[in-house]
Amino acid sequence: MADRTKIPRPRPTPETQHFWDGTREGRLLIQACNDCGHVYFPPRPFCPSCSSRNVDVLEASGDATLYSYVINHRPHPGFDGPYAIAVVTLAEGPRMMTNIVNCDQTPDALQLDMPLKVTFERLTDDITLPYFEPVGDAS
Amino acid sequence: MKPGSIAIVGAAETTELGKIPGMSQTQLHADAALNALDDCGIKMVDVDGIATAGESPINLAHYLGIVPTWVDGTGVGGCSFMLHVRHAAAAIAEGLCSTVLITHGESGRSGVGRGGFGGGSASLAAQFESPYGPMGPPSMFTIPVLRYMKDFGLTVEQLALIAVIQREWAALNPRSSYKEPLTVDDVLNERMIAYPFTKLMCCLVTDGGGALILTSAERAADFPTKPVYLLGTGESVETPMVSQMDDFTSSRAFRVASRKAFAESGVHHSDVDHLMIYDAFAHLPIYGLEDLGFCERGEAGAFIGERHTAIGGKLPVNTNGGGLSYMHSGMYGMYALQESVRQLRGTAAAQIEGAKISVAHGVGGMFAASGTIVMSNEKP
Ligand SMILES: [Zn+2]
């Protein structure tokens, strides 16, 4: 049985704190550049595309598609294996690593480009992790 | 470097100094870098070389949005930046890059986002990848391949064949870790490590080492060995987070490094007699063949299937057996170079008759970094 306390805990920095404040409130926050329009993740207080410091935080829709994944078969104390380590593409463009929850961890159930929706799991008082789950009545 | 040929044109410190609890160490690098750009009126996109110490230049290049053709992470303590200036001068003089950014940032007092003891979990990878259970290269380096397979129709059998063909090469090499012949079924029926990769599609874990000695072509004549001349070199980095690669079907670092190396060498792909592509996992030769320009996008699986990279093929690849069958101690790039040197000296176990030009292409991290070396046993 997975021991969720064995999941590595993110330690926020001043540049990423807004992201972790957001997930705690059930919001997925990304950033956008006011000068060139680039939407990006992971967080930083300037635009990685044009170097402008004129950037804003914005709330993502939470809609995403499955970009790629592996199903890890080696035992991890924080997970019931085998489990998929996935990368999803947000509707807004940026990609993020995640796990696909409420879904069988099999190649049949995990089809690339399937639509996904963000969901959150509280890990500690400070850290809530964003995960993604299939949209609709997929397994 | 000719005296007076290289200049410092931008210089700045962080916006604040003293006590800065509101910035992580990485952001201190970035803040100073952005200020230095402002100082001389250029943009990050104009920077094509990066050097730093106390922080991985891979992390920083990705964080800042730089596509470098020259990278220096020399870390020898407080004077690292003097060495960076010297190395940058040589690199610019040599045309490896044109505009170098050298950064320092250290949260020495506040200790915000510092690496080392207790600080690892504040990196972007630790915050945004580690919680999802990746367990090192076998479950991270492998994540892009399903996207490649879907986009280009590569089959798992084609992926397995790469391990089979490298085992054929290894069988000719008495120093290989594994020599017994394999079939595609053998590879697919092995224990699953990270779907779709079975154990035989993952590199070995062994002990070993290697060393190289370089000097000028002029001095090389005084040595008893057959010289291997450098024709072209390239390097780049993309991102320390595999999830943040631009395109899961192609490595930007591979493309940037190899283009630079081929351009400098003046060598055409059809002139290459021998190729080493660091094969930490079975998909690496696919990405390498395409990103280095030996195959069109999506065609490397068929190219390998037609045995062009196998014994007797027109482009022998990983002739020592590679990381999959020869050896892999952790940083295999050294062994790829060693095999290129052996082939060009004519002393390889699986010697390619008349090999004159060899290319050794390496990867660092999980598609994070890349280096390409074009070599010949003939002076151009
Ligand atoms: Zn921008």
Side-chain angles (χ1 to χ4, degrees), chain A residues 33 36 38 47 49-50 52:
Chain A
C33 174
C36 77
H38 182 55
C47 171
S49 183
C50 78
S52 168

Side-chain angles (χ1 to χ4, degrees), chain A residues 11 15 53 68 74 83 113 130, chain B residues 24 118 132-133 135 143 147:
Chain A
R11 199 149 62 83
E15 299 82 32
R53 296 191 197 234
S68 201
R74 296 195 301 166
Y83 61 96
D113 302 312
Chain B
S24 68
Y132 301 108
M135 296 175 66
I143 291 178
R147 174 47 58 184

